[in-house]
Amino acid sequence: MKVLLYTEAMNLLGKSGVGKARSHQIRALEQVGVEWTIDPKEKVDLVHINTIFPNSHRLAKKAKKQGIPVVYHAHSTVEDFKNSYLGANAVAPLFKKWLCSCYRLGDSLITPTPYAKHLVESYGLTQPIYPCSNGIDLEYYEKNEEAGREFRRRFGFSPEDKIVMSVGLQIERKGILDFVELAKRMPQYQFIWFGYSSPWTIPAKIRKAVRTKLPNLHFPGYIDEKILRTAYWGADCFLFLTHEETEGIVLLEALAARQKVLIRDIPIYKEWLEDGKNIYKADSLDSFEAKLRGILEGELPDLTEAGYQVAYNRRIEAVGQTLDTIYRETIHRVKARETQPAAQQTPVNE
């Protein structure tokens, strides 16, 4: 079995969650011995598409005409499109129509979590939908305390500083407004946000937040993942304030790095993260402030090992086995459908 992993505009998406997911897919397939290519000109048994741009849509249609099974990876949802960039909410209905037009071309769909599967099902899509984590490379994030100290030196923090870090695009959905407010409320701690969004694409209130001048608030922008890895090792808490996700690869990175983690209590995480057991959750600024203080001052139990187990269950090897199963089931189903007499066939995705 040979699979085409197609991700359009990798020059733009390489730093994004989708770009990381494609890299993880390559590693995962190599782990289980599935042959893969990124060249659309090569002959393959199945096409796995990660993006929703026009060329991706055309490639899916072409593959289906040629009888090649298509797996469409539903990384995007309408829910996580909203509250992102200027005008996003206004065009959300059109975005949903385009999203469904793309996803209908899949003989199978993959979502990063069961929660995302539920969202996609609510769009009226009827083909098989398989939850499969984007995965995490545990070895890459194995804790290195000296590298963590180097992170502090690089960004001008002292060994005594207590550092709260976050990662994501500088958009409202990611919770950047609350991040700035918590930095104002808690001047005794250092707050650093890694990630960047063009000022031309975000609302004025976000631009204003990012320009906030506080001695304990830092926006270094995008950094290389090797440097980001040292931040997971050197900070004192990973604060994930996102209002909506389909999984959250940076959350898995923090858990794999054995970092203390505090997240927003949102529906996606009800299924696999339990407050006080393998992670800490909060749902208001006051509760974030209280739990953050409890984590940083050692007043709350350390949950890093339990959190690491969550990442372990989503390791690259497990993802490879799941992808292999999805591919084989999809190929078998498409072949079975093609061998049915025309009168017995049930139209799919028409």
Side-chain angles (χ1 to χ4, degrees), residues 67-225:
I68 301 172
V70 174
V71 170
Y72 223 117
H73 211 125
H75 293 289
S76 299
T77 65
V78 179
E79 288 74 13
D80 69 16
F81 177 72
K82 293 177 179 178
N83 298 315
S84 54
Y85 296 105
L86 282 171
N89 290 1
V91 302
L94 291 176
F95 179 75
K96 182 178 180 180
K97 289 183 179 180
W98 174 251
L99 205 63
C100 291
S101 177
C102 291
Y103 292 167
R104 285 192 187 99
L105 294 171
D107 296 292
S108 298
L109 298 178
I110 294 177
T111 59
T113 56
Y115 169 78
K117 174 184 176 180
H118 173 73
L119 292 180
V120 172
E121 285 176 334
S122 74
Y123 304 161
L125 300 167
T126 58
Q127 63 268 67
I129 303 176
Y130 300 87
C132 177
S133 172
N134 287 311
I136 187 67
D137 185 344
L138 295 178
E139 184 178 350
Y140 186 77
Y141 290 98
E142 186 64 35
K143 191 156 189 175
N144 182 323
E145 292 187 0
E146 177 52 39
R149 288 189 285 270
E150 174 56 30
F151 153 73
R152 288 175 174 258
R153 291 190 290 268
R154 179 188 293 271
F155 288 94
F157 297 123
S158 74
E160 294 75 29
D161 281 330
K162 293 185 178 179
I163 305 168
V164 179
M165 68 170 287
S166 195
V167 184
L169 296 169
Q170 294 171 339
I171 58 178
E172 185 173 358
R173 177 174 64 82
K174 292 292 185 178
I176 196 165
L177 296 177
D178 285 349
F179 190 82
V180 172
E181 180 59 30
L182 286 166
K184 292 177 181 178
R185 289 187 176 199
M186 309 177 81
Q188 69 273 37
Y189 305 126
Q190 296 292 326
F191 287 73
I192 186 166
W193 180 294
F194 297 104
Y196 175 78
S197 293
S198 169
W200 301 105
T201 65
I202 53 180
K205 62 182 177 180
I206 305 299
R207 294 197 298 271
K208 181 180 179 181
V210 174
R211 290 197 298 264
T212 300
K213 300 299 182 184
L214 294 172
N216 69 324
L217 180 62
H218 313 274
F219 289 107
Y222 170 80
I223 60 170
D224 181 82
E225 68 173 16

Side-chain angles (χ1 to χ4, degrees), residues 50 60 65 69 99 117 140 158 272 276 303 317 327 337-338:
N50 284 294
K65 286 181 180 179
L99 205 63
K117 174 184 176 180
Y140 186 77
S158 74
W272 48 290
L303 304 178
E317 296 86 350
Y327 293 162
R337 189 170 68 225
E338 289 176 349

Side-chain angles (χ1 to χ4, degrees), residues 26 40 48 64 78-79 90 104 122 180 191 212-213 232 234 240 244 256 263 271 279 298 309 336:
I26 291 173
H48 180 168
K64 290 183 74 67
V78 179
E79 288 74 13
R104 285 192 187 99
S122 74
V180 172
F191 287 73
T212 300
K213 300 299 182 184
Y232 289 125
F240 201 42
E244 182 69 36
I263 65 173
E271 301 163 332
I279 208 162
Q309 186 61 45

